[in-house]
Amino acid sequence: MAEESFKLFFSYSHKDESLRDELAKHLTILEYQRVISSWHDRKILPGEEWDYQINDNLKTADIILLLVSSDFLYSKYCWDVEVKRAIERHNTGEACVIPVILRNVDWVGAPFARLQALPKNAEPVVSRYWHTQDDAFTDVAKGIRAAVEALKQKREERQRKQEAETLRQQEAEALQRQREQEEAERRQREQEAERRRQEEAERLKREQAEAEKLRQTELASEKGVDYTKLRDLLAAKKWKEADYETYLVMLQAVGREKDDWIRSEELLNFPCTDLRTIDRLWVKYSNGHFGFSVQKEIYLSVGGKPDGKYYKEAWEKFGDRVGWRVKGNWIYYSDGNFDTSSPKGHLPFCVFSGFGCGVGVGFVGVSSLAWRLVNCNI
């Protein structure tokens, strides 16, 4: 794409038209190079409104040359319209105003007096300071070329900023589209997850409908025991705390106080609903890794019988399988492994431990509980 030339506007008195024409000749090379395109009121065509044409070109010019002379200052149109509008545009940075002193005149205090003028040292073109007028106009042309170069740099910098801003906006729009897409995908995932949750809920409802009791819930209890804390601990994977809470709620279910222990006969008559609730919570939140029913299956698989009797070989094999016995030695409760890296069936442990909680004699408890699980169809 070709670079756009800078628009140059001549503001002058018609009495100085010949000097304007000479200056225009010295700017010819800039015209040929398409660096500038100049305009003055003599380019107004017949039938066009001259006031509109002057104002339209004045408000779109990049460089405004004020060709200063006594006739220029005397011209009411130049002073009231062109100079006023030129200075306004210069002050806002819309245009570069350059006074060119053609003939000697007192211009101190003029609105453009604070601007750097041409030729050098503001010596008038028509002056004995210059050997020839060509020298003066050459100096003016060089000054205008320098001003054009400065404007060109500003234009390029502005273009770079615009391109950077455009790129930033494009990146922001792309990021917004990405976020919208991610949000749509997130909503889709949530909808899919909700669909799966609904399907799971329906599956659980079907399972509950098949259970022994019609309105059995996840936390059902025949003895009014609140299993909320146990559920929350298991859901949070706080296995050790859940293990101890299991011991506490089982005490409540058989009417015992804290720090007491559960008798074997109490396990043989433990409320089925409560036993099912406790086991279901453990199995659910450990994904089948822990729970009384898991322990029962292991105990029976190694030759144990649900009759409360001591079967040494079965009991030792069971201890080895669930990690309660290590290298032939029964471990203390404090040495238990309270996470899912432990062997399957390792928990619940506290209720069977004789070291601070439980039924006192582990093998009797496991056998009695196994009998109760079978009897309760768990």
Side-chain angles (χ1 to χ4, degrees):
M1 181 177 179
E3 185 176 336
E4 185 180 355
S5 61
F6 291 91
K7 296 180 181 179
L8 186 146
F9 182 93
F10 286 99
S11 176
Y12 71 104
S13 166
H14 287 172
K15 296 290 182 66
D16 297 317
E17 187 169 359
S18 62
L19 292 174
R20 186 215 70 203
D21 289 340
E22 285 300 317
L23 175 56
K25 292 176 184 179
H26 280 268
L27 299 178
T28 300
I29 188 65
L30 293 177
E31 292 268 7
Y32 287 163
Q33 294 172 344
R34 299 184 183 277
V35 175
I36 64 170
S37 60
S38 60
W39 189 91
H40 49 75
D41 61 356
R42 292 306 188 191
K43 292 188 177 183
I44 300 175
L45 299 175
E48 293 182 334
E49 297 182 13
W50 64 270
D51 185 61
Y52 171 80
Q53 289 297 324
I54 290 174
N55 278 283
D56 184 60
N57 283 277
L58 183 59
K59 73 180 181 181
T60 59
D62 300 299
I63 301 173
I64 301 172
L65 299 182
L66 304 180
L67 305 189
V68 181
S69 68
S70 58
D71 289 306
F72 177 79
L73 298 182
Y74 184 72
S75 170
K76 188 172 180 62
Y77 190 87
C78 289
W79 185 264
D80 290 344
V81 178
E82 295 182 359
V83 170
K84 180 179 178 182
R85 182 63 179 138
I87 295 300
E88 287 175 352
R89 296 194 67 228
H90 182 91
N91 289 339
T92 59
E94 298 174 13
C96 174
V97 175
I98 304 175
V100 178
I101 312 303
L102 295 180
R103 294 185 283 122
N104 201 11
V105 65
D106 181 12
W107 52 285
V108 175
F112 50 82
R114 60 186 176 83
L115 303 179
Q116 182 66 38
L118 293 173
K120 182 173 63 177
N121 299 326
E123 285 290 340
V125 171
V126 180
S127 169
R128 281 181 283 179
Y129 176 83
W130 305 101
H131 293 296
T132 65
Q133 276 191 4
D134 284 341
D135 292 337
F137 280 128
T138 298
D139 186 80
V140 172
K142 289 180 178 179
I144 292 172
R145 180 182 287 275
V148 167
E149 288 299 323
L151 288 176
K152 184 179 180 181
Q153 291 180 3
K154 290 182 179 178
R155 174 183 285 180
E156 291 173 349
E157 178 63 24
R158 185 167 57 250
Q159 180 66 23
R160 285 193 294 270
K161 289 182 178 179
Q162 290 174 348
E163 290 174 353
E165 177 62 19
T166 299
L167 179 60
R168 187 196 66 78
Q169 291 178 354
Q170 291 174 345
E171 291 175 345
E173 291 171 358
L175 180 59
Q176 180 62 25
R177 289 194 296 271
Q178 180 182 352
R179 287 174 176 170
E180 291 174 354
Q181 182 179 354
E182 290 175 349
E183 176 64 18
E185 292 174 352
R186 183 190 64 80
R187 288 195 298 267
Q188 185 176 1
R189 288 194 299 272
E190 288 182 349
Q191 292 172 355
E192 179 63 21
E194 178 61 25
R195 183 186 64 79
R196 290 195 296 268
R197 284 194 293 269
Q198 291 176 357
E199 291 177 351
E200 179 65 13
E202 292 173 358
R203 185 185 68 80
L204 290 175
K205 287 180 181 179
R206 288 194 297 270
E207 288 182 355
Q208 290 171 353
E210 295 168 359
E212 259 184 64
K213 295 186 181 277
L214 291 176
R215 298 180 58 85
Q216 183 165 352
T217 65
E218 185 181 54
L219 305 181
S221 172
E222 295 177 25
K223 302 296 182 178
V225 179
D226 184 1
Y227 292 104
T228 302
K229 183 177 181 181
L230 175 60
R231 179 199 62 192
D232 294 343
L233 289 171
L234 289 169
K237 312 301 182 185
K238 296 182 178 181
W239 305 115
K240 187 172 184 179
E241 294 87 340
D243 191 37
Y244 187 69
E245 178 66 15
T246 299
Y247 158 68
L248 295 179
V249 295
M250 290 185 72
L251 283 176
Q252 293 179 48
V254 298
R256 296 287 178 183
E257 299 294 330
K258 182 180 178 182
D259 298 327
D260 202 345
W261 52 281
I262 303 173
R263 280 64 176 170
S264 178
E265 61 271 18
E266 291 171 334
L267 285 177
L268 292 172
N269 294 284
F270 200 88
C272 287
T273 299
D274 293 73
L275 190 59
R276 184 175 291 107
T277 294
I278 296 169
D279 179 64
R280 184 175 292 168
L281 289 173
W282 274 97
V283 172
K284 174 182 177 181
Y285 290 106
S286 69
N287 291 322
H289 194 72
F290 299 135
F292 292 140
S293 59
V294 176
Q295 293 172 343
K296 178 199 75 173
E297 294 303 325
I298 295 172
Y299 178 68
L300 296 178
S301 71
V302 297
K305 297 181 180 180
D307 55 9
K309 295 181 181 180
Y310 177 49
Y311 299 95
K312 183 175 185 296
E313 184 178 354
W315 174 240
E316 290 176 349
K317 288 181 179 179
F318 174 80
D320 293 335
R321 285 277 298 276
V322 300
W324 295 356
R325 207 168 81 116
V326 178
K327 295 181 180 179
N329 296 313
W330 295 93
I331 67 172
Y332 287 86
Y333 181 72
S334 58
D335 296 325
N337 186 4
F338 297 97
D339 60 56
T340 52
S341 67
S342 61
K344 188 172 183 178
H346 188 71
L347 299 176
F349 186 15
C350 182
V351 71
F352 301 116
S353 174
F355 306 102
C357 55
V359 297
V361 183
F363 72 86
V364 176
V366 171
S367 180
S368 299
L369 192 61
W371 183 91
R372 190 56 175 161
L373 287 165
V374 171
N375 188 257
C376 291
N377 195 27
I378 297 174

